[in-house]
Amino acid sequence: MPRRGLWPCLLLALAAWSPRPAGGYFPEERWVPESPLRPPRVLLALLARNAAHSLPAALGCIERLRHPKDRIALWVATDHNVDNTTAVLREWLVNVQSMYHSVEWRPMDLPRSYPDEEGPKHWSNSRYEHIMKLRQAALQSARDIWADYILFVDADNLLTNPDTLGLLIAENKTVVAPMLDSRAAYSNFWCGMTSQGYYKRTPAYIPIRKRDRRGCFAVPMVHSTFLIDLRKEASQNLIFYPPHPDYTWAFDDIIVFAFACRQAEIQMYVCNKEEYGSLPVPLRSHSTLRDEVESFMHVQLEIMVKNPPVEPSRYLSVPPKVPDKMGFDEVFMINLKRRADRRERMLWALYEQQIDCKIIEAVDGKAMNSSQVEAMGIGMLPGYKDPYHGRPLTKGELGCFLSHYKVWQEIVKRGLEKSLVFEDDLRFEIFFKRRLMNLMYDLEEEGLDWDLIYIGRKRMQVEHPEKAVPHIRNLVEADYSYWTLGYVISLQGARKLLDAKPLSKMLPVDEFLPVMFDKHPVTEYMEHFENRNLLAFSVEPLLVYPTHYTGDDGYISDTETSVVWNNENVKTDWDRAKSQKMKEQQELSNKAKNSDVLQSPLDSTARDEL
């Protein structure tokens, strides 16, 4: 047979070959493909102290990690508690131990504090040393059971991305951390370190923290939540305790470990390719456990701005919260019926803060026709034009005004001396409930006469500072302001607003309020209202902010994205990216932005990056 005739035979033979079970020439030659490798073995190390408030959420996140539980060993230690952390962990471990490969449980009931600490948030030398010993014990335990990896997770870190563990493993780094988000610039990595082992500010940090640069970056420090690949040869040289013989830096567990990595010639990495989770900004050494509880709650509130709430562990009995009205006669929350997403988020946020509220169904201006508007006797303020676009009132603004008007009517009808009003598109500042209650207490102690107090707004007058109210902390006399995100209103204030009979000369509600306290820059508008004697103040710093600003991803406005109030054919959804309004709002935001109560300088106890 000619030589070229071999090729068709070979091709036929190759075509007949496949990876499925083969017959073979003899029966014993039949074969099947090899099975895949089993997932790697991971020891998850959790150290907890006074963490009863954060454990339900943190443990829920651990349960939802997409890694086979029978390939995860749990190593859990707790001690020096004054709360019921031990009981929470014990309940959880009893309920989940059968799902995981193994459980090592290290509780210590006494003592409840360290002899040299000044408080539960103070990091004393004996506390650092104890933490180092625990981390070393966890590391040795992982080595003893031949684990492929060890994942350290702090008890107040929320790994909301269930793929976090798998994504870190896929990076194939000896030491790698997921970048965790917080309400400030703080995260679980450093970009710079001095020759003495202290934090060093660098221009590289913020672009990574803001995800302007995405990737997996070499850094001198990671902490809180990080993965160690124990399969790597160099990992055998890693140690938490005792510190390396050449170690002369600060006696701090994270710095000791960073030094150990340097001595072992192991590069630490932080990854920000995805959103992995969140952590609280560290508190100061004099802070209380109550501060810590409320700080962690704020982490959960911030997560809810863009994501679903963090569900607690299914294997813990979490006691129900007991909401109250914070001393107000009523707490109103205005919500459009068709905005169920906002309603659910706000109800979750209020419940987490133990705040009771009454939902006021907002008036949907977009659903009103011209005849309905005329039947209510509504007329626009003569000469009113939007100060940015030059357009008249929109239907969305009409509905917003009528919604607040409905609240004022109920206040007067029920004789409510002091009420709190929320819109449904806001986010809360840290310690919101406590700070507002303290303010109201100070008002009563000082006997201040007031009608309305902004707790969230856009300050529009920035040429000179607002006047501080004597003897009352964090309160100023309000100047020209936008937004009605949240405010406190008295019975006297509601009566003044209703008595002005604004429906027949309507303008947006956040323009109407400055008119009523005689601070609107357009005098022609104020001339239509005779009694402009509303006593208006504002909290400073603010206690609530918008969930989204103009131009942000996810920004939706039910007031501006609408149609003109008396002409349904004239739409008002202009290109905000090119609008003068957006440009001026951004400029004002930078000039008039209220400060964050905890935006304080870096100190050694907080290990902060602010």
Side-chain angles (χ1 to χ4, degrees):
M1 184 171 62
R3 185 176 180 85
R4 62 178 179 270
L6 291 174
W7 289 108
C9 297
L10 289 173
L11 290 173
L12 286 170
L14 288 171
W17 182 88
S18 72
R20 62 181 180 271
Y25 190 80
F26 299 105
E28 57 269 21
E29 290 180 346
R30 293 173 183 167
W31 58 277
V32 293
E34 291 293 320
S35 63
L37 293 173
R38 299 185 69 187
R41 295 162 294 186
V42 180
L43 184 138
L44 191 151
L46 181 70
L47 282 61
R49 184 195 182 197
N50 294 323
H53 61 282
S54 64
L55 282 171
L59 295 175
C61 290
I62 289 174
E63 293 165 16
R64 291 186 286 274
L65 288 175
R66 291 194 184 106
H67 194 84
K69 290 181 172 54
D70 62 353
R71 303 294 285 174
I72 298 177
L74 298 175
W75 191 99
V76 182
T78 187
D79 49 69
H80 297 86
N81 296 305
V82 296
D83 67 359
N84 63 335
T85 294
T86 303
V88 172
L89 284 171
R90 182 178 288 112
E91 179 187 359
W92 184 70
L93 290 171
V94 166
N95 290 330
V96 303
Q97 62 180 340
S98 62
M99 302 181 224
Y100 289 89
H101 177 269
S102 63
V103 172
E104 186 169 346
W105 171 226
R106 294 195 174 200
M108 187 170 72
D109 292 331
L110 294 173
R112 295 182 178 273
S113 61
Y114 293 93
D116 56 343
E117 74 176 5
E118 299 172 5
K121 296 306 296 175
H122 176 228
W123 282 84
S124 64
N125 281 344
S126 61
R127 182 177 182 182
Y128 278 127
E129 183 174 16
H130 184 66
I131 293 298
M132 291 179 208
K133 289 178 178 178
L134 287 177
R135 292 193 185 277
Q136 182 62 33
L139 179 60
Q140 188 57 50
S141 192
R143 288 168 174 161
D144 290 345
I145 66 171
W146 298 94
D148 297 309
Y149 299 89
I150 180 169
L151 176 66
F152 285 96
V153 182
D154 277 4
D156 58 359
N157 290 189
L158 297 177
L159 301 181
T160 51
N161 186 336
D163 294 317
T164 296
L165 179 53
L167 292 169
L168 293 180
I169 290 173
E171 291 297 335
N172 194 28
K173 309 292 187 187
T174 308
V175 178
V176 61
M179 190 190 79
L180 301 180
D181 295 305
S182 76
R183 63 178 177 81
Y186 176 78
S187 188
N188 58 321
F189 71 99
W190 295 359
C191 273
M193 183 183 286
T194 68
S195 57
Q196 292 78 38
Y198 290 106
Y199 168 75
K200 179 182 178 181
R201 290 182 182 271
T202 69
Y205 182 86
I206 292 299
I208 295 174
R209 174 65 184 84
K210 293 172 65 177
R211 291 188 175 85
D212 293 334
R213 297 177 61 207
R214 286 180 181 257
C216 208
F217 302 95
V219 293
M221 164 73 75
V222 295
H223 59 83
S224 299
T225 292
F226 55 93
L227 183 76
I228 303 175
D229 188 344
L230 300 177
R231 305 171 306 164
K232 301 291 180 71
E233 188 68 32
S235 72
Q236 295 302 306
N237 299 320
L238 293 178
I239 192 170
F240 288 96
Y241 189 86
H244 191 279
D246 297 334
Y247 186 80
T248 58
W249 293 352
F251 198 65
D252 181 314
D253 63 300
I254 66 172
I255 302 178
V256 166
F257 185 63
F259 185 87
C261 288
R262 179 178 295 191
Q263 293 300 108
E265 298 183 343
I266 292 174
Q267 179 62 61
M268 289 179 157
Y269 290 87
V270 65
C271 292
N272 70 350
K273 297 177 183 178
E274 308 280 345
E275 291 187 4
Y276 303 98
S278 300
L279 79 172
V281 174
L283 299 175
R284 306 307 176 191
S285 59
H286 60 268
S287 299
T288 65
L289 286 182
R290 180 186 178 188
D291 296 334
E292 187 171 23
V293 170
E294 294 180 13
S295 174
F296 180 78
M297 177 184 65
H298 188 258
V299 174
Q300 295 175 285
L301 297 182
E302 284 294 284
I303 290 173
M304 285 193 290
V305 171
K306 297 181 179 179
N307 301 284
V310 179
E311 296 288 345
S313 167
R314 295 183 298 153
Y315 303 98
L316 285 175
S317 52
V318 180
K321 297 179 182 293
V322 183
D324 59 52
K325 295 180 181 178
M326 302 184 289
F328 292 101
D329 296 307
E330 190 61 88
V331 177
F332 296 98
M333 194 265 284
I334 300 172
N335 168 256
L336 277 170
K337 189 175 182 179
R338 57 184 167 87
R339 291 288 185 199
D341 54 335
R342 291 183 176 181
R343 180 169 60 253
E344 292 306 311
R345 187 194 68 82
M346 274 295 290
L347 289 176
W348 264 96
L350 292 170
Y351 177 77
E352 285 298 319
Q353 298 174 90
Q354 300 189 72
I355 299 173
D356 189 20
C357 78
K358 176 179 180 179
I359 297 175
I360 295 293
E361 185 175 328
V363 176
D364 195 342
K366 293 181 181 180
M368 298 179 69
N369 57 44
S370 299
S371 59
Q372 288 175 311
V373 173
E374 292 175 6
M376 295 177 68
I378 294 173
M380 190 172 70
L381 183 76
Y384 172 76
K385 289 185 178 181
D386 178 89
Y388 295 99
H389 298 306
R391 55 150 174 81
L393 196 74
T394 70
K395 279 197 170 185
E397 289 169 332
L398 171 65
C400 181
F401 193 109
L402 292 176
S403 301
H404 286 272
Y405 192 84
K406 184 193 292 189
V407 172
W408 305 336
Q409 286 179 313
E410 180 166 337
I411 289 171
V412 171
K413 182 179 179 180
R414 293 171 57 189
L416 305 176
E417 290 295 333
K418 57 179 180 179
S419 302
L420 176 60
V421 182
F422 292 124
E423 291 183 343
D424 63 1
D425 55 349
L426 59 82
R427 67 203 302 169
F428 294 91
E429 253 301 322
I430 191 170
F431 308 134
F432 167 81
K433 184 175 182 179
R434 194 199 319 183
R435 290 162 65 187
L436 181 55
M437 291 179 71
N438 287 344
L439 174 69
M440 298 310 296
Y441 175 82
D442 291 344
L443 287 179
E444 293 184 10
E445 286 291 297
E446 191 62 26
L448 181 71
D449 191 13
W450 61 274
D451 293 327
L452 182 138
I453 302 170
Y454 288 102
I455 61 171
R457 60 172 178 153
K458 175 185 280 292
R459 179 180 155 205
M460 301 300 287
Q461 184 287 116
V462 295
E463 294 178 357
H464 54 82
E466 294 172 315
K467 183 179 178 182
V469 177
H471 312 300
I472 300 179
R473 294 175 299 169
N474 309 122
L475 192 69
V476 296
E477 295 180 9
D479 212 316
Y480 182 41
S481 303
Y482 264 9
W483 300 344
T484 47
L485 289 171
Y487 56 89
V488 180
I489 185 169
S490 68
L491 176 59
Q492 172 182 268
R495 283 178 175 149
K496 288 181 180 179
L497 296 176
L498 295 178
D499 289 345
K501 302 190 183 309
L503 296 189
S504 61
K505 43 194 172 182
M506 187 179 288
L507 69 169
V509 66
D510 58 352
E511 299 270 21
F512 172 62
L513 294 180
V515 165
M516 290 302 294
F517 55 82
D518 206 33
K519 291 291 180 68
H520 200 287
V522 182
T523 55
E524 289 84 353
Y525 298 169
M526 294 197 291
E527 289 172 355
H528 290 275
F529 298 90
E530 183 177 356
N531 296 317
R532 303 185 300 274
N533 57 354
L534 192 74
L535 303 173
F537 302 88
S538 177
V539 175
E540 172 72 30
L542 296 173
L543 297 180
V544 297
Y545 291 87
T547 54
H548 299 83
Y549 290 91
T550 307
D552 284 353
D553 289 340
Y555 172 80
I556 298 175
S557 171
D558 288 308
T559 54
E560 293 184 31
T561 310
S562 182
V563 295
V564 172
W565 75 287
N566 59 354
N567 190 338
E568 298 178 8
N569 296 317
V570 181
K571 295 185 178 181
T572 61
D573 189 16
W574 291 283
D575 184 358
R576 293 187 182 83
K578 299 178 182 178
S579 72
Q580 181 65 20
K581 179 171 185 178
M582 180 176 174
K583 293 175 184 176
E584 293 191 31
Q585 282 184 337
Q586 289 173 337
E587 183 179 351
L588 284 167
S589 177
N590 293 330
K591 290 181 179 179
K593 187 176 182 180
N594 298 72
S595 59
D596 182 334
V597 70
L598 286 185
Q599 288 289 344
S600 48
L602 173 73
D603 75 5
S604 59
T605 59
R607 308 187 237 179
D608 235 338
E609 172 102 45
L610 295 173

